[in-house]
């Protein structure tokens, strides 16, 4: 493995792990806050136990997210020094603000975890809300920095020097809103289905049904609402990418030839050498409509983009298909869930529906990872779109492959530890809650 590939692989690995930890850490506090609120309003002890159980999960992912995020910060400087030399002064503002949000989140989490029976009950609840709000702000600020890489703004390049720097313009670049919206909805969808799926599994095992059923309904509602909003966000993002990054859109759809009334491609096997796609399903005019809001408009293909600026088409296309495919399945599951709710019958009776949620546990995160592959791989060969190539930003230090192997081992170990801790937390539910069992799940 050459050093350039090793550097890219290490960054991809770090982002791939961190994005899961970060998303869970910024979404779970909102689930926790809803459960806590329900306890304060109803005095139902079950909600108190759910809140305490979820708060321990929040603490676990806060710690792992902090560790993996710190590693990423070091990697930016160690692996991509040329990038940080120029980009640091420009997009440093959102990273600085993210650090502030992180400290607020840490302080609020401390108050929340150790404030039981010590603080005013509503102030205690409010600290939990602050954990969620600051975590969400951290995520948005980091995405703003990534969006700047896709839509650089707030500076001029004169004779190779980056001058006239405007950090505010850089942070609020043209891509930040669409990326932040899409990312936040994806985080809530993925985490909501994962948490709801875990509780659905416990229901199917007939374990502490009242506890798991109430927890399931809270997580499922977040997941369903955000999953149904995600296609709207996706449409906004697609139109934005079509305008700013036509090469990325062309790679997403394996769209090699510029044409009007361009068809939307579903599936297909990409042949990059022959610049064609086999066995795909085409929907006439749909790509033109999604990209420009007009079924007859022209969509720029890779034939109008210099070959040395083409992203890896196959990887980008397959990742995009995975993201959209899974997203569509989760939308369908959400619609089924809402239909079942309208029947005004306890969802616990629908064993088949609970099984669908169990199967959906990993799907949201697979789609999330695929979406980040589209974002990052689709931008190549640029690290700063249209300004700096990735190969020009990599460190000249040799032996990066060994660093990649070491970090792979660290992240694998960290994942094992997280899984063990979460498993232990699930097994500790009987210690938190000794309530009565409600009727077991019935076949339906």
């Amino acid at each position: 493995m050459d050093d350039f590939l090793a550097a890219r692989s290490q960054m991809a690995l770090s982002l791939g792990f961190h994005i899961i930890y970060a998303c869970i850490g910024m979404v779970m506090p909102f689930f926790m806050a809803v459960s806590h609120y329900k306890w304060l309003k109803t005095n139902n002890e079950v909600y108190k136990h759910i809140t305490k159980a979820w708060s321990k999960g929040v603490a676990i992912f806060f710690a792992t997210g902090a560790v993996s995020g710190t590693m990423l910060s070091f990697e930016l400087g160690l692996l991509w020094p040329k990038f940080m030399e120029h980009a640091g002064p420009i997009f440093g503002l959102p990273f600085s603000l993210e650090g502030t949000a992180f400290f607020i989140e840490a302080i609020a989490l401390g108050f929340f975890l150790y404030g039981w029976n010590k603080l005013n009950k509503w102030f205690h609840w409010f600290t939990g809300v602050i954990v969620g709000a600051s975590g969400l702000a951290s995520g948005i600020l980091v995405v703003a920095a990534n969006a700047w890489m896709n839509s650089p703004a707030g500076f001029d390049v004169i004779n190779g020097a980056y001058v006239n720097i405007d950090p505010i313009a850089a942070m609020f670049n043209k891509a930040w809103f669409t990326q932040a919206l899409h990312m936040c909805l994806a985080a809530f969808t993925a985490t909501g289905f994962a948490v709801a799926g875990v509780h659905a599994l416990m229901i199917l095992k007939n374990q502490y049904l009242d506890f798991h059923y109430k927890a399931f309904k809270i997580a499922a509602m977040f997941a369903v609402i955000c999953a149904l909003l995600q296609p709207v966000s996706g449409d906004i993002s697609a139109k934005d990418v079509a305008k700013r990054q036509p090469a990325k859109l062309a790679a997403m759809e394996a769209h090699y030839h510029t044409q009007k009334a361009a068809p939307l491609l579903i599936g297909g096997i990409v042949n990059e050498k022959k610049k064609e796609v086999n066995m795909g399903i085409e929907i006439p005019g749909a790509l033109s409509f999604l990209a420009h809001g007009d079924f007859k408009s022209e969509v720029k293909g890779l034939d109008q983009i210099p070959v040395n600026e083409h992203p890896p088409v196959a990887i980008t296309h397959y990742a995009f298909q995975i993201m959209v495919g899974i997203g569509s399945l989760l939308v369908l599951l959400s619609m089924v869930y809402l239909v079942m709710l309208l029947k005004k019958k306890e969802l616990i009776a629908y064993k088949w529906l609970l099984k669908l949620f169990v199967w959906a546990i990993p799907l949201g995160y697979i789609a999330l990872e695929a979406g980040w592959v589209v974002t990052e791989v689709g931008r190549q060969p640029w690290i700063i779109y249209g300004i700096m190539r990735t190969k020009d930003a990599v460190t000249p230090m040799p032996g990066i492959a060994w660093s990649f192997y070491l970090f792979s081992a660290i992240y694998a170990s960290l994942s094992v530890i997280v899984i063990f801790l979460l498993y232990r937390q699930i097994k500790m539910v009987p210690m938190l809650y000794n309530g009565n069992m409600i009727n077991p799940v019935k076949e339906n």
Side-chain angles (χ1 to χ4, degrees), residues 19-81:
I19 195 173
I20 295 178
Y21 301 148
C23 285
I24 297 174
M26 77 181 195
V27 169
M28 280 294 295
F30 289 98
F31 299 179
M32 181 180 75
V34 170
S35 178
H36 196 177
Y37 179 81
K38 284 179 172 287
W39 172 57
L40 294 176
K41 296 298 289 185
T42 66
N43 288 319
N44 188 328
E45 288 289 313
V46 178
Y47 287 116
K48 178 182 179 180
H49 297 313
I50 292 172
T51 304
K52 285 190 171 184
W54 279 347
S55 69
K56 290 177 171 59
V58 169
I60 291 170
F61 283 103
F62 176 82
T64 52
V67 171
S68 58
T70 301
M71 292 168 68
L72 269 171
S73 298
F74 281 112
E75 287 174 344
L76 280 172
L78 292 172
L79 300 177
W80 314 101

Side-chain angles (χ1 to χ4, degrees), residues 52-273:
K52 285 190 171 184
W54 279 347
S55 69
K56 290 177 171 59
V58 169
I60 291 170
F61 283 103
F62 176 82
T64 52
V67 171
S68 58
T70 301
M71 292 168 68
L72 269 171
S73 298
F74 281 112
E75 287 174 344
L76 280 172
L78 292 172
L79 300 177
W80 314 101
K82 200 68 175 178
F83 167 70
M84 290 304 295
E85 175 187 349
H86 295 293
I90 303 171
F91 77 160
L93 179 60
F95 276 129
S96 299
L97 294 176
E98 191 274 336
T100 302
F102 172 80
F103 284 120
I104 293 173
E105 182 182 7
I107 294 169
L109 183 59
F111 272 109
F112 187 84
L113 292 176
Y114 296 102
W116 291 98
N117 303 319
K118 297 181 179 69
L119 302 173
N120 172 276
K121 64 179 184 179
W122 285 107
F123 177 76
H124 184 221
W125 171 80
F126 182 69
T127 61
V129 174
I130 293 298
V131 173
S134 55
L136 186 63
S138 293
I140 291 173
L141 289 165
V142 170
V143 171
N146 179 267
W148 177 84
M149 297 165 69
N150 287 296
S151 181
F155 68 101
D156 295 313
V157 180
I158 300 177
N159 297 325
Y162 291 58
V163 297
N164 302 326
I165 294 173
D166 183 349
I168 299 298
M171 184 167 69
F172 295 107
N173 57 80
K174 293 181 179 180
W176 84 268
F177 175 75
T178 56
Q179 279 196 212
L181 177 63
H182 201 59
M183 181 65 220
C184 289
L185 289 175
F188 274 94
T189 300
T191 303
F193 276 109
V195 174
V198 169
H199 289 291
L201 180 61
M202 294 299 104
I203 294 170
L204 291 170
K205 290 185 176 182
N206 206 31
Q207 295 184 6
Y208 298 90
L209 301 185
D210 198 16
F211 177 95
H212 289 296
Y213 184 46
K214 285 181 168 58
F216 167 81
K217 288 196 293 184
I218 293 172
M221 190 51 63
F222 272 98
V224 165
I225 292 173
C226 291
L228 293 174
L229 290 174
Q230 192 71 307
V232 178
S233 169
D235 181 65
I236 296 172
S237 296
K239 287 179 169 57
D240 180 62
V241 169
K243 182 178 180 180
R244 292 184 301 96
Q245 294 177 294
K248 178 183 288 187
L249 179 70
M252 287 160 57
E253 280 294 319
H255 185 62
Y256 282 104
H257 306 289
T258 302
Q259 64 183 107
K260 295 183 178 180
L264 179 70
L265 180 65
I266 299 176
I269 299 173
V270 178
N271 188 324
E272 293 196 65
K273 290 184 178 180

